[in-house]
Amino acid sequence: HKTTSDIVNARDNGVYMTNIAHLISLSLSLSLLLSLSHFPGHKTTSDIVNARDNGVYMTNIAHLISLTADNLIVECGGVGKLVNEITVPGKPSVETYDPVIDFEKAFQLVELLTSIVDTVVFCSVLNFSPVEAHRSLRQGGMLRICLRLVTCYATIKCLKKRAARGGEPGAEQPLPLETLMEEINAKLTPLGIVGEPLRQHLLARSEQWHEEVLRGDYLLDERDIYYLRSCVMRDLDLYMKESEQQALLVLFYLSVLTVTQYHEILNKHRSGDNITEQVQRALTHVGPLLNDLLLDFQGAFSKTILGTHGRELMNEGMSCLKGEVPVVELAMQLCSQEWLSALERHAGVTFTKLLREGRHVALSTDEYLVKLAVWSENVASEAIAEHIVKNADFEATSKRIVAALLAEQFNTARLIASQKKQSLVAGEKSWNGVLLFDSQLKLGDGLKFYKLDNWEDCNRRRYKMICNPAGSSHPEATLYPEQRRASAEPGEITPVVIVTKGAITKDTMEQDTEGVDENDNESVNDNMLFSEPAKLILPSLELTGTLTITKHFTIFSPDEEEVGGGKRIAEDVNVKFYSPDVSAVFTRRYMHAYRAIEVFTIGHKSWVLVLADFTAVKRAIAALPRVGVGLQYGLPPRRQTSLASPKKLFLDANMTEKWRTREISNFDYLMFLNTVAGRSYNDLGQYPVFPWILRDYSSENIDLSDPGVYRDLRLPIGAQESEREARFREKFEQSKDGLAPPYHYGTHYSTPGFVLMFLLRVEPYTSLFLNLQSGKFDHPCRIFSSLAQAWNNCQRDMSDVKELIPEFFYLPEMLDNSNRYDLGVDDDGVTVDHVVLPPWARDSKHFIEIHREALESEYVSSNLHHWIDLIFGYKQRGEEAVKNCNSFYYTTYEGLCAPEDVEDPVIKEALTEQIRSFGQTPPQLLTMPHPARTSIQHIMNNNIKNLNGVIATVPAARESQITLLKVLTTPMLHSSPQLCTISANQLIALNKFIPSIQSSHQLFLEADASPRAICEPIDPTLSGSPTSYAVSPDGRVAFCCGFWDSSLKSFATDTGNYLQSMFGHRDLVTCVAITDANLSIFTPVARVGDAIIVTGSRDATVCVWEWSSRSQRVTGVDGKHASPRSVLTGHVERVDCVAVNGDQGCVLSASRGSPLLLHKVTGELLQRIPIPSNYRTPTRLLITPRCQLVVLFSDKAGCLAVFSSRGDLQASQELQEQVMAMICDKEGEHLITGGYNLTPVVRSLSTLSPVLRLAPCNSAISHLALSPDQRFLVAGMTQGAVNVYPMDFRRITEVTTT
């Protein structure tokens, strides 16, 4: 409760503070004297003090002097009080504090400190400005401190002389200096600091000074005069004003002492004594200094020392100096009343200020010392605390490492046991699948069950329908009439109203990702990098288990009770993939909290895994490869990218600009928005959302150029009709009275129920729907049975505001009841079977085609940004949402509620179920209006007068048939555009494209002057076949088959040198195919440019190989020796042709007279497709981007056939001329064929009917190729020439639509 000043100045603490001051002075003097005594003898003290190397040391000593001097003066009683004791004993002084130290101790301490000042200050040329600045002193403050110390020292000596003369009763003799040094030596010798040589040095140095003290004849001795003169003259050249002030103070001090001594001599005068001689002897040393001060500072004093009426007194003083006895006359002059008054009036005030400054300096030093002591104590406490913390950290770290090792050991054992069990289950499941599939194949025309494969293509479309050995028509799930009556319409669920602060949101997420380690992490044993509890999010349910990440594998092991607890699981829960196969990692939301990740792999699959919190997400991403979110969005492959918020991903990506300039389609852009916003096929609560496009579902024909057939994309689906919008706005006003924030819609546009209702006819969603409905189909009236009815419900039903899902634009199987489910009879007596299509659609495939065309139409392209603003943009929430009638219940929004913040378990579970079942609004990606798409008129190049003209013709193969063409214009794979050709005479040529300056659709072709020859001979029957050659995506390596040693060989295209041989067949390799290098979300950074090679052989097998762009070699499972990744079987004759599609992960193979076989690249047989009975010889195969299988038969004039992935024949076309080459565009909408009719023909893939015929070539077309940007078609001819055509599939689509 006391202040620092109270404690320091308390009388009880006086002895303690005195000892501290004594210790400072003593330590300072001994330190200085020790230092000086150890320097070489040939150097003077001045040399040592002014040495450059000792500057810092001397400055520190000067700082200590500034800290010690005034405190020591205060402990002695103060200069003012000491002077009063000489002049007028008992008179009050300006300094009212009493001395704490006894007189003798004061003399000893002041003498020691004054000797140090003599050495450090008066003998040096140091600049004391840093010390003065540190102590907050005015300029000259250091010399003023020295002046106070010197005057104190001189005054004490005067008092001692008076006591030595016996002038005062009880005067004690001073303690001899030798005795003092012996005391010091006795105390410090055990410490090894002071010894006999030093004691002798100190005695010799101070002997003369000590003797002078005992001599009382002089008022001041020579040493005192030297000190006073030094205080005035030291900085005279630098600081004239301060020196003048010092001179005035010294003059006043000397005047006071002189007058006092003069009066003392007069008062003690005895007859016979010569007063003049006594005065002259007493002032022997003082006189010269007074003389010098009056002479040197005459000008300054003449303006300061003024008598009455401004009379100058200096003239009288100067005349005194010219007398016979100048010292005596000057003393008499100083004793005059006028001089005393003038000095008191002018110099006395300044002297008082000097004393007060000393008092303030002493007080500040006290506070400084107390603070220093407190700071030292705090430092010591912190050191002790740090030591304790370090010990605790060490113990905790040791325990943590031991616990981690034990946990890792436990997890490893658990992982091994789990993998053993999963391997047994997977093996048993695979064997049962083989038996079931084989039994179904033997049924001939019997019913086959299919399910949607979760394999995604590069545009995230899932086309592939695969056999479902465990499939069923679910007869037990039919809801019969009596059950329908018991099944009432579901009532409106009472919502949980609780607003929470929220967990990790996209805003806090940005602040929590700083400093993310981009280096590869290491674990305790350099193998297991991460192992923590997790949840696997499946469309059917959530499985708890453990996520383990090692250097080589990422594994999710479900808990025993999850798998063995009787849960009905439609998906495969065995999650295990090779860690280097990870292609993208996103941070995802789970219950509005960013604590989940979605991992994409090269296997075109993804998994959503929920972790404990965002910190665990960062650890998991740090353990996974550094891939970012893939390269397809133009974002860097960094872990910081994987942790970025959806908004940041959207703003940093280059997809919006690509969409604006029509480099990507509307579908691709919407999938991009859904992907970065966290919408996933794995989470039905956050399923990708697409807009309703059309509103005309009743006309016989539809004109996509008519804006009237489209819905208004500027308005949400609930506000398409003005009357319905008014009702929703009225509901918003009514909801303002509730506890929850007001809203327009109590339901959402995307919920798990809506998704399952749309996909009811497709497994595995059929089983998921049954799980949701307690094993029964819904009431027939509520089942998705008609597109027109679904649209009308969205316009009339106040609880129906659902939007669409991506499958409406690419998956016709969702509209067909191919598995023959008994969905019941509705109230009108109509059997619910296939979805009722609009009259303008012939079948489900036709509807999907038109629906996709509508999505890519000019009307939608011009207005899609309005819908994006509603779902993902600035109209999603806030005032804009209210203006646009677009507000939903608050639990659907991120940041307004978080179940993990709720403590009540009942409310928490209710809130979680409400969020899971009733939809989640995507994160807001932008807060400004989304830019519109550029008009098609600005994109189409006016330089293209027509689409069938030849813009370049070059002889590329020297009169030999072109068997293979490969356009290499992918910028990231090749530096300059090139066209690689391989001719029938085994010559490889690299022809260069030279773009035109005037138009991007014009170019020139420069032929290769020196083609390279493949020197290895091949089977003559295969030399002219396009199926015998393949070129790597980067164009550096050519692959050739047909060699006698049953190998596939590779050659360098630029030199023709042999590179590698691959052995995997037991007979002649007859055909080869290779994938293109598409950059997608499923392309790992380390495998950009890699490709899959497929070979067929006379031994009736198909081998799948993997080619590495980095090593330019085919690698095996061990990464070194070339070996097939898988061997596909099922043929009984030689394989004549093969095709592979890396995006779909499919291999199609054909042999004469046998069914087509569709395999996965991993080896599983997907379909055995019978071929038409009148066509037996397939010569070309093609797998389109939409997973359609195109087969060219060479029987008769030839035939083209298109099959679905299920083996259904979708289209066929008898040909009037033999076709030798075919190619498909990247959207899978058009097929280009060429052959002996000399004309490239563009066909519609849905009907195979010709859409456009290009200009004829000079000879038969043997091969076709498209540039990666789809702007050029290259046709190779049998005579060795190459024609280049401009292409614009958007204009072809317009022609087709018209």
Side-chain angles (χ1 to χ4, degrees):
H1 61 280
K2 290 184 177 180
T3 64
T4 302
S5 179
D6 295 336
I7 296 173
V8 173
N9 296 318
R11 298 187 62 85
D12 296 340
N13 299 331
V15 176
Y16 175 66
M17 295 299 167
T18 302
N19 291 335
I20 290 179
H22 186 189
L23 178 62
I24 292 175
S25 176
L26 191 60
S27 301
L28 185 64
S29 60
L30 290 176
S31 174
L32 177 65
L33 296 176
L34 271 173
S35 301
L36 295 178
S37 65
H38 284 81
F39 282 105
H42 64 276
K43 287 187 177 181
T44 64
T45 302
S46 178
D47 295 335
I48 298 172
V49 171
N50 294 316
R52 295 179 61 88
D53 298 339
N54 300 330
V56 176
Y57 176 66
M58 294 303 166
T59 302
N60 290 336
I61 293 180
H63 181 246
L64 287 176
I65 293 172
S66 69
L67 290 172
T68 310
D70 283 298
N71 291 77
L72 185 58
I73 294 172
V74 170
E75 299 300 329
C76 294
V79 175
K81 196 159 189 175
L82 293 174
V83 172
N84 278 2
E85 289 294 329
I86 295 177
T87 56
V88 185
K91 180 183 178 181
S93 171
V94 293
E95 297 174 323
T96 59
Y97 35 76
D98 297 328
V100 181
I101 328 176
D102 62 87
F103 196 74
E104 198 60 42
K105 284 287 186 182
F107 174 71
Q108 298 170 7
L109 294 175
V110 172
E111 183 182 24
L112 285 172
L113 189 58
T114 307
S115 65
I116 296 172
V117 169
D118 178 24
T119 305
V120 175
V121 179
F122 299 149
C123 293
S124 71
V125 292
L126 294 175
N127 185 3
F128 298 113
S129 296
V131 177
E132 294 169 351
H134 182 75
R135 296 299 315 279
S136 301
L137 298 173
R138 294 183 293 109
Q139 192 173 44
M142 191 66 194
L143 286 180
R144 288 195 297 275
I145 291 175
C146 295
L147 179 60
R148 286 192 291 270
L149 181 66
V150 168
T151 55
C152 179
Y153 174 55
T155 306
I156 292 175
K157 286 203 298 183
C158 289
L159 292 174
K160 287 180 68 64
K161 289 177 183 179
R162 177 182 295 178
R165 290 194 299 266
E168 286 78 17
E172 298 180 0
Q173 293 298 322
L175 183 68
L177 185 61
E178 183 176 1
T179 305
L180 174 64
M181 294 308 303
E182 288 178 356
E183 292 180 2
I184 296 173
N185 190 32
K187 294 180 180 179
L188 299 182
T189 298
L191 303 178
I193 298 176
V194 180
E196 183 62 25
L198 178 61
R199 188 179 69 84
Q200 296 296 334
H201 173 77
L202 293 176
L203 288 174
R205 183 181 180 89
S206 304
E207 183 177 4
Q208 181 181 358
W209 301 349
H210 197 64
E211 289 178 356
E212 289 181 357
V213 172
L214 302 179
R215 294 173 58 187
D217 296 339
Y218 305 114
L219 174 62
L220 296 176
D221 55 37
E222 293 180 356
R223 181 57 56 180
D224 299 332
I225 298 301
Y226 165 73
Y227 289 157
L228 292 173
R229 186 185 299 274
S230 298
C231 291
V232 175
M233 299 299 180
R234 184 185 186 278
D235 293 339
L236 179 62
D237 296 336
L238 297 176
Y239 308 112
M240 185 64 185
K241 185 176 181 180
E242 285 74 12
S243 298
E244 290 176 354
Q245 187 179 21
Q246 294 282 89
L248 184 62
L249 293 172
V250 172
L251 177 63
F252 176 77
Y253 176 71
L254 294 177
S255 300
V256 171
L257 294 183
T258 300
V259 171
T260 301
Q261 185 70 19
Y262 184 76
H263 284 296
E264 182 181 350
I265 293 174
L266 291 178
N267 293 334
K268 294 182 180 181
H269 171 67
R270 291 187 297 268
S271 60
D273 294 338
N274 190 337
I275 298 177
T276 302
E277 293 179 357
Q278 292 183 14
V279 172
Q280 186 172 2
R281 184 169 58 253
L283 300 179
T284 300
H285 299 145
V286 175
L289 180 57
L290 287 173
N291 185 24
D292 293 342
L293 292 177
L294 293 174
L295 290 175
D296 293 343
F297 297 95
Q298 180 181 0
F301 291 166
S302 62
K303 298 178 182 179
T304 304
I305 305 175
L306 301 175
T308 56
H309 308 292
R311 187 166 62 90
E312 293 186 2
L313 302 179
M314 283 299 298
N315 293 331
E316 300 177 6
M318 297 303 295
S319 61
C320 293
L321 297 178
K322 300 177 182 178
E324 295 180 359
V325 188
V327 175
V328 176
E329 294 181 5
L330 181 59
M332 295 175 61
Q333 181 68 33
L334 292 175
C335 292
S336 66
Q337 186 63 34
E338 194 169 14
W339 266 88
L340 289 176
S341 300
L343 287 174
E344 181 68 26
R345 188 167 52 250
H346 299 287
V349 176
T350 305
F351 194 78
T352 303
K353 291 180 180 180
L354 175 70
L355 300 183
R356 288 176 179 173
E357 182 189 34
R359 181 173 56 184
H360 291 310
V361 172
L363 292 176
S364 65
T365 303
D366 289 343
E367 296 177 358
Y368 175 78
L369 291 176
V370 173
K371 290 180 180 179
L372 185 64
V374 173
W375 175 81
S376 301
E377 185 177 358
N378 292 337
V379 170
S381 300
E382 290 178 0
I384 295 173
E386 184 179 1
H387 180 69
I388 295 174
V389 170
K390 286 184 177 180
N391 285 341
D393 289 344
F394 176 75
E395 293 179 1
T397 303
S398 302
K399 292 179 180 179
R400 188 168 59 251
I401 292 176
V402 172
L405 290 172
L406 293 176
E408 188 169 2
Q409 183 179 2
F410 172 77
N411 290 332
T412 302
R414 177 183 177 182
L415 188 63
I416 293 173
S418 175
Q419 289 303 304
K420 286 182 179 179
K421 183 174 181 180
Q422 288 188 6
S423 298
L424 292 174
V425 173
E428 183 179 359
K429 185 176 180 180
S430 299
W431 177 247
N432 293 336
V434 170
L435 295 178
L436 286 172
F437 185 68
D438 186 63
S439 63
Q440 288 186 2
L441 290 178
K442 294 178 181 178
L443 292 177
D445 296 332
L447 179 63
K448 299 178 182 178
F449 297 101
Y450 294 90
K451 67 176 181 180
L452 182 64
D453 192 12
N454 57 2
W455 180 286
E456 303 176 30
D457 68 0
C458 61
N459 296 318
R460 302 211 62 195
R461 296 172 295 192
R462 300 180 298 173
Y463 284 113
K464 214 167 15 179
M465 301 296 297
I466 60 176
C467 284
N468 184 14
S472 168
S473 59
H474 299 290
E476 76 287 349
T478 303
L479 197 63
Y480 295 103
E482 58 272 13
Q483 294 172 317
R484 297 176 202 160
R485 289 191 295 271
S487 173
E489 288 284 339
E492 187 171 333
I493 298 179
T494 303
V496 179
V497 181
I498 175 168
V499 180
T500 64
K501 293 182 292 184
I504 294 292
T505 63
K506 61 182 175 63
D507 296 326
T508 58
M509 186 179 167
E510 293 298 333
Q511 304 171 1
D512 201 20
T513 59
E514 299 298 330
V516 177
D517 187 11
E518 296 293 340
N519 298 320
D520 294 332
N521 288 352
E522 299 291 340
S523 66
V524 177
N525 61 1
D526 292 337
N527 185 28
M528 187 175 294
L529 304 176
F530 180 88
S531 182
E532 292 188 16
K535 280 185 180 180
L536 175 64
I537 304 300
L538 299 172
S540 57
L541 76 165
E542 301 174 0
L543 286 177
T544 59
T546 303
L547 174 64
T548 302
I549 303 174
T550 68
K551 278 189 174 182
H552 303 291
F553 291 99
T554 300
I555 303 169
F556 174 80
S557 303
D559 294 337
E560 293 287 339
E561 57 271 16
E562 293 287 340
V563 180
K567 292 186 177 181
R568 185 176 183 180
I569 301 174
E571 297 90 351
D572 186 7
V573 298
N574 297 317
V575 178
K576 179 179 179 181
F577 52 86
Y578 193 45
S579 293
D581 286 348
V582 173
S583 58
V585 182
F586 289 83
T587 301
R588 295 305 194 199
R589 291 189 312 178
Y590 176 76
M591 296 296 139
H592 294 322
Y594 286 92
R595 60 188 188 97
I597 59 174
E598 186 169 15
V599 182
F600 293 79
T601 67
I602 195 175
H604 287 249
K605 294 182 180 180
S606 62
W607 290 271
V608 174
L609 296 155
V610 180
L611 300 170
D613 49 30
F614 187 66
T615 303
V617 168
K618 293 198 292 185
R619 289 197 300 269
I621 290 178
L624 290 167
R626 188 174 59 249
V627 295
V629 296
L631 300 176
Q632 74 286 354
Y633 301 147
L635 298 173
R638 302 174 63 243
R639 293 189 176 95
Q640 191 79 28
T641 307
S642 295
L643 289 167
S645 66
K647 182 177 181 180
K648 182 171 178 56
L649 291 178
F650 170 78
L651 296 176
D652 293 347
N654 59 6
M655 299 296 284
T656 301
E657 184 62 25
K658 286 186 176 181
W659 176 75
R660 287 187 63 254
T661 57
R662 298 183 181 252
E663 295 180 39
I664 59 175
S665 64
N666 290 337
F667 181 90
D668 294 340
Y669 188 60
L670 289 175
M671 282 306 302
F672 157 72
L673 294 175
N674 278 279
T675 300
V676 297
R679 313 297 286 189
S680 172
Y681 287 128
N682 297 292
D683 188 355
L684 296 180
Q686 300 186 81
Y687 205 79
V689 57
F690 271 60
W692 283 93
I693 298 298
L694 300 173
R695 64 182 303 127
D696 183 1
Y697 295 93
S698 58
S699 301
E700 293 293 331
N701 298 296
I702 188 169
D703 182 8
L704 296 182
S705 62
D706 180 11
V709 303
Y710 297 96
R711 61 85 58 101
D712 191 347
L713 292 169
R714 297 171 299 176
L715 302 175
I717 196 65
Q720 294 292 307
E721 303 293 338
S722 58
E723 180 180 353
R724 190 166 181 245
E725 179 184 359
R727 294 171 63 186
F728 279 122
R729 291 191 181 276
E730 181 181 356
K731 181 178 180 180
F732 180 86
E733 296 298 327
Q734 294 174 354
S735 64
K736 289 183 178 179
D737 299 331
L739 297 177
Y743 57 91
H744 295 102
Y745 313 107
T747 182
H748 203 255
Y749 50 76
S750 177
T751 67
F754 292 160
V755 174
L756 293 177
M757 181 188 67
F758 284 140
L759 298 175
L760 171 65
R761 294 165 177 82
V762 180
E763 285 283 10
Y765 298 98
T766 307
S767 298
L768 304 184
F769 185 87
L770 294 178
N771 287 341
L772 187 66
Q773 295 288 334
S774 302
K776 296 292 183 180
F777 291 119
D778 201 358
H779 192 286
C781 293
R782 292 196 297 269
I783 289 178
F784 173 50
S785 58
S786 168
L787 282 164
Q789 182 182 354
W791 168 256
N792 293 332
N793 288 341
C794 290
Q795 305 309 302
R796 296 194 298 261
D797 193 344
M798 293 293 290
S799 62
D800 190 350
V801 291
K802 59 179 174 290
E803 294 280 8
L804 300 184
I805 56 177
E807 286 79 359
F808 272 95
F809 300 93
Y810 67 81
L811 189 67
E813 287 81 2
M814 67 174 290
L815 304 175
D816 296 332
N817 188 16
S818 57
N819 287 327
R820 298 293 185 265
Y821 301 131
D822 185 358
L823 303 176
V825 180
D826 62 15
D827 294 341
D828 297 330
V830 178
T831 301
V832 179
D833 191 15
H834 303 299
V835 175
V836 178
L837 303 174
W840 43 260
R842 296 189 301 269
D843 52 26
S844 59
K845 182 174 177 293
H846 187 222
F847 169 80
I848 294 297
E849 290 177 357
I850 295 180
H851 206 213
R852 177 64 185 272
E853 289 180 11
L855 177 63
E856 305 299 336
S857 65
E858 183 59 23
Y859 174 84
V860 175
S861 296
S862 302
N863 292 277
L864 186 59
H865 62 284
H866 297 302
W867 184 85
I868 294 173
D869 288 334
L870 292 170
I871 305 300
F872 302 99
Y874 78 107
K875 297 179 182 178
Q876 181 198 89
R877 57 202 310 175
E879 295 182 1
E880 290 295 332
V882 176
K883 290 180 183 178
N884 291 272
C885 194
N886 194 39
S887 296
F888 295 86
Y889 195 65
Y890 84 97
T891 58
T892 67
Y893 290 100
E894 171 188 321
L896 295 183
C897 69
E900 59 185 29
D901 290 344
V902 180
E903 296 181 357
D904 191 322
V906 177
I907 298 179
K908 182 176 183 178
E909 179 62 28
L911 185 60
T912 301
E913 187 59 33
Q914 185 168 330
I915 295 174
R916 179 185 292 116
S917 302
F918 291 93
Q920 301 178 47
T921 302
Q924 192 173 26
L925 300 183
L926 68 167
T927 55
M928 299 293 291
H930 191 285
R933 201 177 196 190
T934 307
S935 174
I936 189 67
Q937 285 77 14
H938 292 83
I939 300 298
M940 289 188 174
N941 196 319
N942 296 327
N943 293 333
I944 305 179
K945 304 301 181 183
N946 54 68
L947 293 175
N948 59 0
V950 179
I951 61 174
T953 301
V954 172
R958 297 182 180 179
E959 304 300 327
S960 179
Q961 173 181 326
I962 300 293
T963 57
L964 181 71
L965 291 171
K966 183 74 172 182
V967 183
L968 314 172
T969 57
T970 305
M972 65 169 289
L973 297 181
H974 216 278
S975 57
S976 60
Q978 290 185 335
L979 172 67
C980 180
T981 62
I982 301 179
S983 58
N985 57 1
Q986 299 179 236
L987 291 179
I988 303 174
L990 294 176
N991 311 280
K992 292 186 178 180
F993 284 119
I994 304 176
S996 173
I997 301 177
Q998 288 79 13
S999 172
S1000 61
H1001 282 81
Q1002 293 182 0
L1003 51 76
F1004 304 98
L1005 190 61
E1006 179 182 348
D1008 192 343
S1010 56
R1012 278 69 57 194
I1014 299 176
C1015 299
E1016 297 282 342
I1018 65 174
D1019 189 283
T1021 61
L1022 301 175
S1023 61
S1025 173
T1027 60
S1028 302
Y1029 303 97
V1031 177
S1032 63
D1034 59 4
R1036 298 178 181 178
V1037 179
F1039 302 94
C1040 185
C1041 64
F1043 298 100
W1044 62 271
D1045 57 356
S1046 304
S1047 68
L1048 173 71
K1049 297 184 185 296
S1050 61
F1051 302 87
T1053 56
D1054 55 350
T1055 62
N1057 294 338
Y1058 161 80
L1059 297 178
Q1060 187 183 15
S1061 293
M1062 287 69 73
F1063 297 93
H1065 295 281
R1066 292 174 295 174
D1067 204 341
L1068 188 74
V1069 180
T1070 56
C1071 51
V1072 60
I1074 191 170
T1075 60
D1076 291 326
N1078 289 328
L1079 190 63
S1080 71
I1081 197 173
F1082 302 102
T1083 306
V1085 177
R1087 298 192 180 186
V1088 174
D1090 290 3
I1092 296 174
I1093 303 173
V1094 176
T1095 56
S1097 172
R1098 285 180 182 172
D1099 62 4
T1101 62
V1102 177
C1103 289
V1104 179
W1105 315 78
E1106 186 171 333
W1107 182 79
S1108 171
S1109 62
R1110 291 190 174 185
S1111 62
Q1112 295 289 303
R1113 297 178 65 84
V1114 172
T1115 58
V1117 179
D1118 58 357
K1120 297 179 181 180
H1121 304 90
S1123 61
R1125 290 301 178 101
S1126 57
V1127 179
L1128 315 180
T1129 59
H1131 291 286
V1132 295
E1133 298 289 342
R1134 61 171 276 178
V1135 179
D1136 294 317
C1137 50
V1138 292
V1140 60
N1141 188 310
D1143 288 337
Q1144 300 297 337
C1146 294
V1147 176
L1148 182 64
S1149 56
S1151 60
R1152 182 180 177 85
S1154 300
L1156 304 174
L1157 296 184
L1158 182 66
H1159 288 84
K1160 287 186 177 181
V1161 292
T1162 53
E1164 297 91 337
L1165 178 63
L1166 296 177
Q1167 287 294 337
R1168 187 190 300 268
I1169 305 172
I1171 61 178
S1173 57
N1174 54 336
Y1175 293 99
R1176 308 290 296 171
T1177 311
T1179 56
R1180 301 287 187 276
L1181 300 178
L1182 185 65
I1183 304 177
T1184 71
R1186 299 185 181 183
C1187 205
Q1188 293 172 296
L1189 314 177
V1190 183
V1191 185
L1192 173 63
F1193 297 97
S1194 61
D1195 302 85
K1196 303 177 183 178
C1199 174
L1200 281 173
V1202 179
F1203 298 89
S1204 69
S1205 60
R1206 296 193 306 181
D1208 301 328
L1209 181 62
Q1210 295 182 336
S1212 63
Q1213 179 74 44
E1214 295 282 348
L1215 301 175
Q1216 301 301 320
E1217 67 285 330
Q1218 187 175 358
V1219 171
M1220 300 175 62
M1222 61 181 182
I1223 191 172
C1224 176
D1225 69 333
K1226 66 179 180 180
E1227 293 296 331
E1229 296 179 355
H1230 300 95
L1231 180 71
I1232 306 175
T1233 60
Y1236 284 101
N1237 68 340
L1238 313 183
T1239 303
V1241 179
V1242 181
R1243 303 173 183 270
S1244 170
L1245 257 173
S1246 58
T1247 61
L1248 292 179
S1249 57
V1251 174
L1252 182 66
R1253 295 181 182 273
L1254 305 181
C1257 298
N1258 296 328
S1259 60
I1261 300 173
S1262 57
H1263 203 269
L1264 294 170
L1266 278 170
S1267 63
D1269 56 10
Q1270 306 283 287
R1271 291 191 303 167
F1272 300 103
L1273 171 70
V1274 183
M1277 293 174 278
T1278 56
Q1279 292 183 356
V1282 171
N1283 276 6
V1284 181
Y1285 298 86
M1287 293 299 297
D1288 193 330
F1289 287 103
R1290 288 170 297 193
R1291 182 170 293 185
I1292 294 175
T1293 301
E1294 286 187 349
V1295 173
T1296 305
T1297 305
T1298 304

